[in-house]
Amino acid sequence: MTELVGHDFARASLDHCLKCTICETQCPVAAVTPLFPGPKYVGPQAERFRAGLSVDASVDYCSSCGTCTLVCPQGVQIAELNSQARAAMKAKHMPPRDRLISQTTLMGAVMTPFAPLANWALGNRPIRTVVEHTFGIHRDAPMPPAQSQSFMGWWKRRPQVQPDAPRGQVVFFHGCAGGYFEVETSKCAVEVLEFLGYEVIVPEQGCCGLAMQSNGLYRSAGAAVVKLSQSLLHGDLPIISASGSCTGMLKHEAREIMGVADEAVAEAGRRIRDIMQFLRDLLEAGELPLNFAPINKRLLYHAPCQLKSQGMGMPALDVLQLIPGLEVDESGVPCCGIAGTYGLKREKYQIAQAVGKSLFDQAKTHDLVVCDTETCRWQIRKSAGVRVEHPIMAVHQGYGLSEPGALIG
Amino acid sequence: MAKAVVIGAGLAGLTAAIRLGEVGFNVTLLAAGYGGLPLSPGTVDVFGYAPKQVADPLQAASEAPPPHPYAVIGAERLRSGLEWIANSLGPEFLVGAIDRNWLLPTAAGALRPTCLAPPSMAAGQGQVDAVIGFAQLKDFPAALVAGNLGARPVILDFPARDAEAECSSVVYARAFDDPGFRERFAAAARPLLRPGERVALPAVLGSRDTHPVREVSGLLQAEVFEVATVPPSVPGLRLNAALLARARAAGVRMVNGSRAVGFSVDKDRISAVEVAAAGSPEFLRADAFVLATGGFESQGLVMDSHGVISEPLFGLPVAAPQAAAFAADFWADHPLLRAGVRVDSELRPVDADAGPVHSNLRAVGGVIGGANRIRELSGDGIAIGSAWAAAESLRRMK
Ligand SMILES: Cc1cc2nc3c(=O)[nH]c(=O)nc-3n(C[C@H](O)[C@H](O)[C@H](O)COP(=O)(O)OP(=O)(O)OC[C@H]3O[C@@H](n4cnc5c(N)ncnc54)[C@H](O)[C@@H]3O)c2cc1C
Ligand code: SF4
Ligand code: SF4
Ligand code: SF4
């Protein structure tokens, strides 16, 4: 695999650009900074002059949120072109910071055994200032809370009851963040699946490579996604995940951005369902139990950009509205700003905060925010100072699997 | 609750989805991307040229001969649709009378007939004293506009953001959302104007609504109005956002950025459309389907390299005049722009024998043939009139 095989696919869409400017008007980054000239300019326009090289370093300010690709009426793969151009530009001199923050599994594995220490260090201003100077990770950037037990630690130690599984088996993909940091989310997802009558299989699994991909490390990301896909294929079982962005990596980003043409990845991409999408499928088939206990709360739902780009609408909204008493507002904001690792970086932190500002303002007027991807939850938690959880937690509580108030405030 | 799927989120799809939501359908709005609204001047053009300039658009529509879409929609349903949209958006967004065209200046300073217009633009009918432009906004040639309107150009060196030599209308519109920016602008412009003058500005006075226009008028002690710019068009974006908000309020579920690529049938009905979602396809099942995919500009119609024109989603029969793909004169009335599907009075696409192709499918907006929407300035009226008529038809079917 060469570094940029995905490129031909996106480049083929270049000539569909009519220069209508619609993408320019919706880009959340261009809206808040003059440093970024916008998707049409750095995407289809600059691409003509690139011939493998970069003509303008401003493409690095694209957060890859994918909003432009979603709104383009002509099907130009703008965000994908930008990601590829950035990868080519950074290939020669990758900042060590970008390599470091791409190592999501490693970070989790190192932090979990030392959770209290790690959390202390992340909350310690002098330490974070040193980190900002040496690595370029902004001192106020959101960092995940280290947990003292990983998801796998919990999974292996939990009492093995022979599950009654009338609906058969499913494979669960927890993702790095769901494995080490957002452990409660993964546990809830598994318990809801078991409650519905599935036997959950959790194979040993690595990282999908998303963070490496978004930082332009295509070779390592490609290898990671192939290895992961192989480990998730069991018979013809569906794969379920509560990690919205990693799901997107398997469904389409590996192929569309990096050009990974591996059959295991393609097959895993076809089989994988986002947990809320899976529940909505059951709902549409008339197979989802509807006996939810009421939850009297007003929630703000933020659909992460990486979920929106999967073209399935907002399954969380469709499911949450089944819970009596739950009032759900949709944020209508394209992106929370963090875009994976973008908003952690010293030079982009302020931009990411400005991108998410109207979301943070809305968050402050709600009891709780729900959002399907981990990094977005960290960003909203840190920036708005409110509780932010995965929508599966409301389902978990609605089915009486957790005490009222235990998970969602 | 009966389910409806609307495919396409231009003016036709958005209005159809809102109306269907209002009359009790559970609506999903699927769109491959945005429709034409962000490029539109934010007006509702009903009939501008037929082919002579039109004074009463409703009258002109009632006289349009078949196969013009207005001959199918009829003046009554067109009127109901236009009144409905004007009422639901309110005078903050659209003002005017359905039987009278405004004559409003364009981005080149020509006068253009349109039926309903944002209040900030409607004030531009009549005499203009001064046209303000910005040296940093190339999309609004103030000197040209002023020359054509017989007014005085006033060009300010006034960037929307610090040290930005050039930017789009949208960047100015966001700057004008800020009261501080409006005051600094007024301080710079006031000395160059005389009290009580009628002053044209590019349509950038606020990204969300036209409330800043009134405020700037007050600050300048002049009668200020907006003139559309070339795309991106801020009034079109305001209208797009307002319609999206109304769709949300009407309970419409949105699936954005995804193309419908196939469908399944059950006897004479469509049972589902297939959506090219990431990973594996999604199937949207419903009782009713509305095709609002637009014309050639949005791939609602396509022409292949052999010159064959088709409707790519449902493979509906397309009526296309016999004509070469290229005409000698760019400005001539190109016959192929009249290509499109034909519909019956229930807005059901029909085959060569004028029978409905699928009993629960309706077609609305630019995908319907029989009009040169761009030349006639009739696209918005066709979109709204057909969307209204289709929603009424489906409501009866329910
Ligand atoms: C350059 C230009 C200038 C114009 N000027 C005027 C004017 O001044 N006055 C006037 O009245 N009219 C004008 N028109 C015509 C006007 O734009 C249209 O008549 C009107 O906007 C049509 O609206 P619509 O909703 O039917 O289609 P559109 O606004 O084109 O929307 C089509 C929608 O369908 C979606 N779509 C298409 N295929 C699929 C698919 N397979 N799956 C999912 N979604 C799909 C698109 O993404 C889009 O959301 C102009 C048109 C052009 C191109
Ligand atoms: S929205 Fe698409 S067609 Fe329009 S300018 Fe952007 S890339 Fe080009
Ligand atoms: S991916 Fe997001 S930040 Fe990048 S150009 Fe597109 S809209 Fe802008
Ligand atoms: S961080 Fe979240 S909302 Fe923002 S860029 Fe991603 S997935 Fe998007």
Side-chain angles (χ1 to χ4, degrees):
Chain A
M1 200 182 79
T2 65
E3 288 277 37
L4 283 173
V5 267
H7 194 46
D8 291 341
F9 182 76
R11 206 165 204 269
S13 69
L14 174 73
D15 283 335
H16 292 269
C17 175
L18 295 181
K19 307 279 177 270
C20 72
T21 70
I22 286 175
C23 55
E24 305 269 311
T25 68
Q26 304 302 312
C27 169
V29 170
V32 299
T33 175
L35 296 173
F36 184 55
K40 173 174 73 108
Y41 179 90
V42 301
Q45 214 151 287
E47 182 61 32
R48 288 191 191 285
F49 300 97
R50 272 188 198 120
L53 300 166
S54 275
V55 291
D56 185 346
S58 65
V59 69
D60 192 41
Y61 280 101
C62 163
S63 77
S64 294
C65 73
T67 307
C68 47
T69 301
L70 277 193
V71 300
C72 172
Q74 308 303 334
V76 180
Q77 304 264 302
I78 316 161
E80 292 75 2
L81 283 171
N82 294 353
S83 296
Q84 293 155 0
R86 190 173 42 236
M89 185 175 84
K90 287 164 67 179
K92 295 261 149 47
H93 34 78
M94 181 67 63
R97 182 238 359 238
D98 294 6
R99 278 188 201 282
L100 177 78
I101 57 182
S102 306
Q103 299 303 316
T104 18
T105 316
L106 184 68
M107 255 168 79
V110 171
M111 280 163 73
T112 303
F114 308 103
L117 182 67
N119 286 334
W120 169 80
L122 291 174
N124 181 291
R125 193 135 182 114
I127 294 182
R128 289 294 300 269
T129 308
V130 172
V131 169
E132 173 172 321
H133 287 305
T134 44
F135 286 112
I137 298 172
H138 195 281
R139 66 190 77 173
D140 294 322
M143 282 289 158
Q147 308 290 335
S148 27
Q149 191 180 39
S150 71
F151 170 75
M152 274 309 212
W154 170 79
W155 174 253
K156 287 184 181 148
R157 276 174 202 82
R158 74 200 282 244
Q160 287 301 320
V161 278
Q162 189 55 43
D164 177 22
R167 299 209 202 205
Q169 298 175 312
V170 293
V171 171
F172 185 68
F173 165 43
H174 56 65
C176 305
Y180 293 104
F181 303 115
E182 295 285 297
V183 176
E184 271 318 299
T185 301
S186 304
K187 288 188 204 167
C188 283
V190 165
E191 287 172 359
V192 166
L193 288 168
E194 290 178 343
F195 168 80
L196 291 172
Y198 293 96
E199 183 191 338
V200 179
I201 296 174
V202 187
E204 284 293 337
Q205 47 189 278
C207 175
C208 70
L210 177 60
M212 290 183 273
Q213 182 256 98
S214 71
N215 282 289
L217 296 156
Y218 285 6
R219 203 181 296 276
S220 4
V225 74
V226 169
K227 187 150 171 273
L228 170 71
S229 299
Q230 289 162 348
S231 65
L232 294 176
L233 295 175
H234 284 253
D236 56 1
L237 298 183
I239 305 163
I240 319 281
S241 176
S243 186
S245 42
C246 310
T247 306
M249 178 73 168
L250 284 173
K251 279 183 175 175
H252 64 146
E253 291 192 1
R255 180 176 62 89
E256 289 173 10
I257 296 181
M258 303 193 298
V260 175
D262 182 82
E263 190 38 45
V265 177
E267 182 56 23
R270 282 189 288 270
R271 282 192 208 172
I272 193 164
R273 303 303 267 177
D274 172 80
I275 180 88
M276 302 309 286
Q277 182 190 21
F278 186 71
L279 298 184
R280 186 182 64 185
D281 288 349
L282 292 177
L283 171 69
E284 304 237 310
E287 291 169 9
L288 188 72
L290 299 175
N291 53 336
F292 290 103
I295 302 179
N296 294 310
K297 286 258 173 315
R298 195 160 154 244
L299 307 190
L300 179 70
Y301 173 64
H302 174 63
C305 58
Q306 284 167 337
L307 189 105
K308 289 188 194 118
S309 66
Q310 294 171 34
M312 57 179 177
M314 301 183 188
L317 277 185
D318 299 330
V319 173
L320 291 181
Q321 73 185 27
L322 303 169
I323 301 177
L326 204 59
E327 243 187 276
V328 188
D329 298 320
E330 196 243 308
S331 76
V333 171
C335 175
C336 70
I338 191 83
T341 57
Y342 181 90
L344 306 178
K345 299 173 184 177
R346 177 173 51 201
E347 71 281 11
K348 290 162 188 138
Y349 173 80
Q350 295 299 349
I351 296 175
Q353 289 295 307
V355 164
K357 174 146 192 322
S358 66
L359 174 63
F360 310 146
D361 290 347
Q362 289 184 59
K364 291 173 190 157
T365 65
H366 286 79
D367 298 327
L368 176 82
V369 180
V370 286
C371 174
D372 314 74
T373 52
E374 296 87 0
T375 54
C376 312
R377 293 201 289 274
W378 303 336
Q379 165 87 337
I380 305 167
R381 256 177 222 155
K382 179 87 202 301
S383 308
V386 294
R387 192 154 181 189
V388 190
E389 301 295 356
H390 190 286
I392 194 67
M393 295 217 177
V395 176
H396 192 269
Q397 181 172 323
Y399 280 146
L401 300 173
S402 39
E403 290 300 309
L407 294 174
I408 61 160
Chain B
M1 204 183 200
K3 281 189 175 178
V5 170
V6 178
I7 307 143
L11 183 57
L14 281 165
T15 47
I18 296 169
R19 186 62 194 155
L20 286 168
E22 285 177 0
V23 301
F25 278 87
N26 174 340
V27 187
T28 301
L29 177 58
L30 169 73
Y34 275 21
L37 279 171
L39 317 178
S40 120
T43 55
V44 172
D45 302 342
V46 176
F47 221 149
Y49 296 94
K52 289 213 170 52
Q53 190 173 314
V54 168
D56 176 348
L58 198 64
Q59 177 72 27
S62 73
E63 290 164 3
H68 198 284
Y70 282 145
V72 178
I73 298 166
E76 267 328 295
R77 291 193 294 187
L78 176 61
R79 173 198 288 279
S80 306
L82 291 169
E83 281 173 352
W84 165 75
I85 196 73
N87 286 333
S88 41
L89 288 168
E92 180 64 38
F93 282 94
L94 292 174
V95 294
I98 285 159
D99 51 11
R100 200 175 61 236
N101 270 334
W102 300 100
L103 265 187
L104 302 178
T106 68
L111 294 179
R112 169 180 181 283
T114 184
C115 180
L116 302 173
S120 62
M121 287 165 73
Q125 172 137 319
Q127 131 116 31
V128 182
D129 301 308
V131 179
I132 297 184
F134 298 101
Q136 290 80 10
L137 182 61
K138 308 275 189 287
D139 289 346
F140 186 74
L144 175 69
V145 177
N148 281 335
L149 294 175
R152 184 172 89 255
V154 176
I155 317 256
L156 296 178
D157 183 4
F158 198 77
R161 290 192 289 209
D162 281 348
E164 215 170 4
E166 193 185 335
C167 70
S168 81
S169 323
V170 174
V171 179
Y172 271 97
R174 291 182 182 129
F176 270 104
D177 287 337
D178 168 20
F181 184 86
R182 297 200 287 264
E183 277 168 30
R184 287 196 299 282
F185 160 75
R190 209 183 298 113
L192 306 169
L193 301 171
R194 294 168 208 127
E197 275 194 320
R198 286 175 49 82
V199 180
L201 268 152
V204 299
L205 301 188
S207 68
R208 290 179 289 271
D209 52 42
T210 49
H211 135 86
V213 180
R214 291 190 291 278
E215 209 165 299
V216 169
S217 282
L219 291 169
L220 290 179
Q221 293 168 358
E223 198 182 328
V224 166
F225 58 89
E226 294 187 302
V227 174
T229 65
V230 300
S233 167
V234 172
L237 284 161
R238 289 178 194 141
L239 192 59
N240 196 48
L243 289 169
L244 283 168
R246 271 158 187 77
R248 215 175 273 141
V252 173
R253 297 165 70 219
M254 318 238 192
V255 180
N256 295 324
S258 257
R259 193 166 284 279
V261 291
F263 64 106
S264 24
V265 287
D266 178 11
K267 302 200 194 79
D268 67 329
R269 299 167 70 81
I270 291 178
S271 50
V273 292
E274 179 184 341
V275 183
S280 44
E282 292 265 324
F283 294 89
L284 296 175
R285 284 167 238 286
D287 305 292
F289 294 84
V290 178
L291 180 69
T293 48
F296 291 108
E297 64 273 23
S298 299
Q299 292 137 56
L301 299 172
V302 294
M303 181 195 263
D304 70 13
S305 55
H306 304 284
V308 177
I309 296 177
S310 59
E311 184 285 300
L313 177 53
F314 295 111
L316 297 170
V318 173
Q322 285 297 323
F326 295 98
D329 179 2
F330 180 79
W331 299 106
D333 182 2
H334 199 300
L336 287 184
L337 290 176
R338 292 194 156 70
V341 303
R342 293 267 188 272
V343 290
D344 65 10
S345 62
E346 301 290 307
L347 279 294
R348 289 176 299 208
V350 294
D351 54 26
D353 308 324
V357 185
H358 303 285
S359 64
N360 63 341
L361 176 66
R362 301 293 181 277
V364 298
V367 74
I368 304 177
N372 183 337
R373 294 168 283 125
I374 299 174
R375 237 185 129 74
E376 297 171 356
L377 297 182
S378 62
D380 303 324
I382 293 171
I384 294 167
S386 59
W388 172 270
E392 289 302 300
S393 164
L394 291 172
R395 178 189 198 173
R396 283 194 304 277
M397 181 194 94
K398 196 167 67 151

